[in-house]
């Protein structure tokens, strides 16, 4: 974790919340873990039941559920009812951002039935899924067929809808982009109840490009068609330790997947999967993976590591052993590799249950891990969640690849959070300018990792308690996030909206581009029906008056332009 350096700030006086957080593991072990395991098991049974149904029956149920959504939207009285939101409880969302927008009066539409895989088409190489289908469910169905979504987010609980409307990345994103870049069609229920299928080349192409990052504020997503790729049974994973300063670690990370000769599309030079963990300011482990057949993995002398077993060391700690024993290679079953961070929630599990990484806990209770994030949120009150916002960081910084060294130095200087997760992703040059977009003229610079059609970005994942907090010093979490957001704006970076944000509206639209989004909101009737993406992402309680005034301003603008 973060190095305990000499104190730099005054000591912070402890309050009752500190002691509650310190002993929160009691509630987690005796309440959260048992309920989590029960919910996981019931969800699994539901998935099995769904898989037993024919695709035809699933489609019939889907069509019936879509009709219910349409009926519900058409029953809404705009002059009396609040803005439209899903009926999902605020604490169920996996993201750490408080779902405060639901505290204002709103009109609920129930999407809880939309949790079926509707089709896996091996000819079109498409999986069609409803928005509440999660990554564990898809990989469980597709990997035995030697198929997989091109991008599979690491945590089992992350849903198709959340990854599309929000943000999703994986170790294959340096090839395929973000999760939303792998979607070929959306089925959307618009504000007026019209059901449309949006693709990049049909009449709803503007809506297709506007949906990602919109947080469900353009319409209700009821299904998506997602690109599949062929995969093999195992991942051949190489672990390479690197020692040096942060700029040297950053360059080693870039070199692990981006050929210096610019041949970024050459599969013999670019691995299938990339991931790096920076453990402190001088040490990191670079991991690269390639799909491997069962025959190759089981050859004499090869090491197979079933990281999915409950008693196995947590993945980030297992990778860290490369710093002592040097470079090594092993084979991991593909699905277990995909979800390698699920059991320990990256390294957040160490904060939730400080002893859960010990061999005796893993052996006795590891099978109950992880606690559901939604239940962790449900068992914390206002004071606890405010404490975490101030004393804890869960942020992703999406920055141009060539600036990753600067980002690492900024995090070390301002937050002192370790480990840091690095995962590259392409940001494609699209026919239209979307909310997130590459730097102008990147294709002429052709920096390491870039191509003519995409700029290479990287996710700098910052998840843990900052060094000053671990040392008992004063730390202003909100101010640190504000400074991080300013740094991102200055460096053409982006902040995923699942995280706690301190952005005001002006800065929000400096970070993101509003043109296509606002065009689509007005064209498809979302203004006055769905809350805007800024107000949905904004930190703090939203009063009904505040939300209605903001929407009224958008409505007046829309009417003026229509006239």
């Amino acid at each position: 974790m973060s190095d305990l350096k000499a104190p730099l700030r005054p000591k912070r006086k402890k309050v009752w919340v500190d002691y509650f957080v310190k002993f929160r593991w009691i509630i987690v072990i005796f309440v959260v873990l048992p309920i989590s395991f029960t919910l996981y098991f019931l969800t699994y049974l539901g998935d099995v039941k769904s898989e037993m149904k024919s695709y035809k029956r699933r489609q019939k149920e889907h069509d019936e559920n879509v009709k219910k959504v349409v009926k519900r939207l058409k029953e809404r009285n705009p002059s009396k009812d609040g803005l439209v939101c899903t009926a999902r409880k605020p604490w169920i969302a996996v993201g750490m951002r408080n779902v405060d927008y639901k505290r204002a009066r709103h009109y609920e539409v129930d999407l809880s039935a939309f949790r079926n895989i509707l089709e896996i088409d091996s000819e079109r190489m498409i999986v069609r899924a409803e928005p509440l289908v999660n990554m564990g469910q898809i990989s469980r169905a597709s990997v035995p067929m030697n198929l997989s979504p091109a991008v599979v987010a690491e945590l089992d609980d992350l849903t198709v809808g959340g990854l599309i409307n929000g943000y999703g990345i994986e170790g294959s994103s340096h090839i395929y982009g973000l999760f939303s870049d792998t979607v070929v069609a959306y089925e959307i229920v618009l504000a007026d109840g019209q059901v449309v299928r949006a693709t990049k080349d049909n009449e709803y192409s503007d809506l297709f490009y506007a949906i990602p990052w919109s947080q469900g504020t353009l319409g209700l997503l009821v299904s998506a068609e997602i690109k599949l790729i062929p995969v093999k049974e195992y991942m051949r994973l190489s672990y390479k330790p690197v020692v040096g300063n942060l700029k040297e670690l950053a360059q080693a990370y870039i070199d692990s997947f981006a050929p210096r000769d610019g041949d970024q599309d050459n599969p013999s030079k670019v691995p299938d999967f990339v991931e790096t963990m920076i453990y402190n300011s001088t040490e990191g482990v670079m991991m690269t993976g390639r799909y491997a057949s069962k025959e190759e993995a089981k050859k004499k002398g090869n090491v197979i590591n079933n990281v999915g077993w409950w008693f196995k060391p947590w993945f980030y700690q297992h990778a860290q052993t490369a710093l002592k024993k040097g470079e090594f290679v092993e084979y991991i079953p593909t699905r277990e590799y995909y979800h390698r961070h699920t059991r320990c929630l990256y390294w957040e599990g160490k904060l939730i249950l400080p002893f859960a990484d010990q061999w005796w806990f893993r052996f006795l209770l590891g099978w109950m891990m992880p606690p559901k994030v939604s239940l962790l949120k449900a068992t914390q009150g206002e004071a606890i969640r405010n404490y975490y916002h101030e004393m804890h960081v869960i942020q992703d910084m999406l920055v141009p690849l060539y600036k990753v060294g600067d980002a690492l130095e900024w995090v070390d200087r301002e937050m002192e959070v370790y480990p840091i997760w690095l995962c590259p992703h392409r940001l494609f040059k699209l026919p239209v300018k979307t909310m997130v977009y590459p730097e102008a003229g990147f294709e002429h610079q052709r920096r390491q990792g870039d191509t003519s059609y995409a700029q290479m970005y990287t996710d700098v994942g910052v998840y843990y308690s900052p060094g000053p907090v671990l040392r008992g010093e004063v730390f202003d979490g909100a101010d640190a996030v504000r400074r991080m957001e300013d740094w991102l704006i200055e460096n053409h970076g982006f902040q995923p909206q699942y995280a706690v944000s301190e952005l005001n509206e002006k800065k929000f639209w400096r970070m993101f581009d509003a043109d296509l989004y606002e065009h689509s909101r007005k064209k498809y009737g979302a203004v006055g029906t769905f809350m805007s993406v800024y107000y949905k992402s904004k930190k703090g309680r939203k009063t009904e008056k505040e939300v209605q005034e903001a929407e009224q301003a958008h409505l007046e603008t829309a009417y003026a332009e229509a006239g």
Side-chain angles (χ1 to χ4, degrees), residues 298-334:
K298 294 190 175 182
K299 284 182 179 178
K300 186 176 180 180
N302 288 341
V303 176
I304 294 178
N305 184 5
N306 295 92
V307 298
W309 284 103
W310 76 90
F311 52 82
K312 287 281 189 172
W314 288 357
F315 183 76
Y316 83 94
Q317 293 178 340
H318 170 64
Q320 192 174 10
T321 62
L323 293 171
K324 289 186 177 180
K325 68 180 186 181
E327 188 171 352
F328 66 96
V329 175
E330 63 185 10
Y331 291 79
I332 300 175
T334 295

Side-chain angles (χ1 to χ4, degrees), residues 140-196:
R140 187 165 52 245
S142 64
V143 170
M145 303 169 64
N146 284 346
L147 297 173
S148 171
V151 175
V152 182
E154 290 92 344
L155 302 183
D156 287 19
D157 265 2
L158 297 175
T159 63
V160 167
L163 295 169
I164 288 171
N165 285 310
Y167 161 77
I169 191 172
E170 229 290 31
S172 58
S173 290
H174 65 296
I175 299 173
Y176 301 104
L178 298 177
F179 184 85
S180 55
D181 292 315
T182 69
V183 179
V184 298
Y186 302 108
E187 184 183 12
I188 302 288
V189 182
L190 300 177
D192 62 358
Q194 183 183 3
V195 182
V196 302

